[in-house]
Amino acid sequence: MQSHLVSKTRSDLNVATILLAGGKGTRLHELTAAESKPAVHFAGRNRIVDFAMANIVRSGLDRLVVATQFAPATLHDHLPARWDGHFASGAMILKDGRDTYLGTADAVRHNWAQVEGWGSDQVLVVAADHIYDMDYAPLIAAHKASGAAVTVAVDVVPVTAASGFGVMQTDTSGRILSFLEKPAHPPAIPGDPDHAMVSMGIYVFEADWLRDALFGRDIASLDFGHEVIPAAVAQGLAMSYRLPAGPSGHTYWRDVGTLESLRLSHLDFVGQQPARLPRASTLSEWYLGRGSVAMPGALVPASARLTRCLVAPGTKVPAGLVVGEDPDEDDLWFRRDRGTVLITQAMLDRREAVRVPVSLHVAARPVLQSRDVA
């Protein structure tokens, strides 16, 4: 599973890129208690943010502001160490927005002086917390050709999973006719009742239009999905861009927002490579078998039997531990999200310190089970 990152030189792209990397990721529970969601490890030494960073570099985009917010220290250490060599001096700027940004659009507004300083014609806004492989240059070219104020990158997901995204409907040209941010009852694609078209959290804006949207009369606009994109749709100035299929013939884009989706996305890389890993990694670094994943620094002895588990960073699993076979037992000690069980060192320490007799297991109330929906 080697990944060879090649940076393009794109003199035709006068684009400022804003990477939104401040998300807390509350549905990842203990994994994001002290880390932002983009900083969570994925497939060995990679972090979730590295997928967006690899896409930016491969696309030849050379002016980048990274807007961090929750628990930014890891990203402020990791990103320069991992990615500074791909940018000219001063062309990757990390901005700590703790206690400052009030929404996604507000994060861009607070960093607008840098966009103006670069004199960029377009602004690419990218979420830092998804797993996918994409060249942004064709998206930017399609945006320029359309004459739209904003172009939204989109993918198609089952309608049952669409309520966690911005959901839209378009005409045959791709113009967005309606946009609903995280609707309780997502509208399906006309003629396809099982699927919905959703925003990938990737937008290309005309810089002049975005400046007016951020600093015009409606200065209450704080969020792209709730306010800025719907405003462009209402003006008839919003276009969609379908994520192209990869080598498999299918698209691959995953929001790893829950423990279940994080583990299952790891398994997508077992035996195949739906998206390029930003850094070389081997299965032996993180895949334990039986549908289980170990994160960096975790020690799992061969005598442990873990099924559909995520082992948190730095966790030392005791010999002979069995997890993932008895939900009632798992609920006593660990966090369970649908078919996934999270194991942390704190959970193991508590289990060791407080041994519940077998006779009490049936009566014990599960205290850590998660009801999250992927």
Side-chain angles (χ1 to χ4, degrees):
M1 296 181 55
Q2 299 295 313
S3 177
H4 301 284
L5 185 63
V6 178
S7 178
K8 297 179 182 177
T9 300
R10 297 297 303 255
S11 60
D12 59 324
L13 296 181
N14 186 24
V15 178
T17 303
I18 311 291
L19 182 63
L20 301 177
K24 188 172 183 179
T26 56
R27 294 180 298 162
L28 292 176
H29 301 284
E30 287 80 2
L31 292 181
T32 50
E35 293 282 16
S36 66
K37 181 181 173 185
V40 169
H41 284 284
F42 188 92
R45 294 166 289 167
N46 296 288
R47 296 179 185 271
I48 293 173
V49 68
D50 289 326
F51 283 83
M53 288 297 300
N55 292 334
I56 289 166
V57 169
R58 291 190 189 109
S59 302
L61 297 164
D62 57 2
R63 286 167 284 179
L64 172 66
V65 174
V66 183
T68 63
Q69 189 166 23
F70 175 72
T74 296
L75 293 181
H76 282 253
D77 289 339
H78 171 74
L79 290 173
R82 172 72 180 86
W83 295 102
D84 247 358
H86 296 280
F87 294 88
S89 177
M92 182 176 74
I93 301 169
L94 277 69
K95 301 298 286 288
D96 182 348
R98 280 176 292 182
D99 304 318
T100 301
Y101 306 148
L102 300 178
T104 54
D106 195 44
V108 175
R109 177 162 46 223
H110 274 89
N111 290 291
W112 192 255
Q114 188 61 63
V115 175
E116 292 280 12
W118 282 329
S120 302
D121 297 323
Q122 286 82 32
V123 179
L124 174 69
V125 178
V126 179
D129 55 1
H130 299 147
I131 304 296
Y132 66 109
D133 185 5
M134 182 180 182
D135 184 349
Y136 300 127
L139 162 65
I140 295 167
H143 168 79
K144 291 179 179 180
S146 73
V150 59
T151 299
V152 181
V154 303
D155 198 11
V156 173
V157 303
V159 72
T160 54
S163 59
F165 306 101
V167 182
M168 69 202 76
Q169 293 189 322
T170 68
D171 63 18
T172 55
S173 73
R175 190 169 304 277
I176 301 173
L177 303 176
S178 68
F179 187 97
L180 300 172
E181 181 69 3
K182 298 182 179 179
H185 304 288
I189 297 172
D192 185 359
D194 296 329
H195 294 91
M197 183 179 296
V198 302
S199 168
M200 297 171 60
I202 302 168
Y203 319 112
V204 185
F205 290 95
E206 287 301 300
D208 291 346
W209 186 93
L210 182 56
R211 181 189 60 238
D212 292 344
L214 295 177
F215 297 98
R217 289 177 298 175
D218 185 16
I219 59 173
S221 294
L222 300 174
D223 187 82
F224 285 116
H226 283 109
E227 292 138 350
V228 177
I229 302 301
V233 172
Q235 296 173 26
L237 295 176
M239 293 292 290
S240 63
Y241 176 87
R242 288 284 295 270
L243 175 66
S248 68
H250 303 283
T251 62
Y252 188 87
W253 168 76
R254 298 290 184 268
D255 177 6
V256 287
T258 66
L259 298 173
E260 174 87 340
S261 62
L262 179 62
R263 183 183 66 85
L264 293 178
S265 295
H266 272 90
L267 299 187
D268 289 338
F269 286 80
V270 178
Q272 57 181 329
Q273 201 163 339
R276 285 179 289 184
L277 291 170
R279 167 179 277 173
S281 181
T282 61
L283 284 177
S284 61
E285 288 184 67
W286 53 270
Y287 183 54
L288 300 174
R290 303 176 69 92
S292 293
V293 172
M295 303 181 85
L299 298 176
V300 183
S303 61
R305 193 165 74 239
L306 308 182
T307 304
R308 296 184 297 278
C309 293
L310 278 171
V311 185
T315 302
K316 296 177 176 57
V317 173
L321 181 69
V322 177
V323 181
E325 298 179 15
D326 183 343
D328 292 332
E329 174 72 14
D330 294 340
D331 285 337
L332 290 173
W333 312 112
F334 309 111
R335 184 177 294 280
R336 188 161 56 88
D337 173 7
R338 299 175 66 178
T340 297
V341 183
L342 175 65
I343 303 172
T344 70
Q345 189 62 52
M347 295 172 189
L348 290 173
D349 292 344
R350 184 176 62 250
R351 176 180 178 272
E352 182 63 25
V354 184
R355 291 287 189 171
V356 179
V358 174
S359 61
L360 298 181
H361 284 187
V362 175
R365 288 176 59 87
V367 295
L368 284 176
Q369 183 173 357
S370 172
R371 301 295 185 185
D372 290 344
V373 177

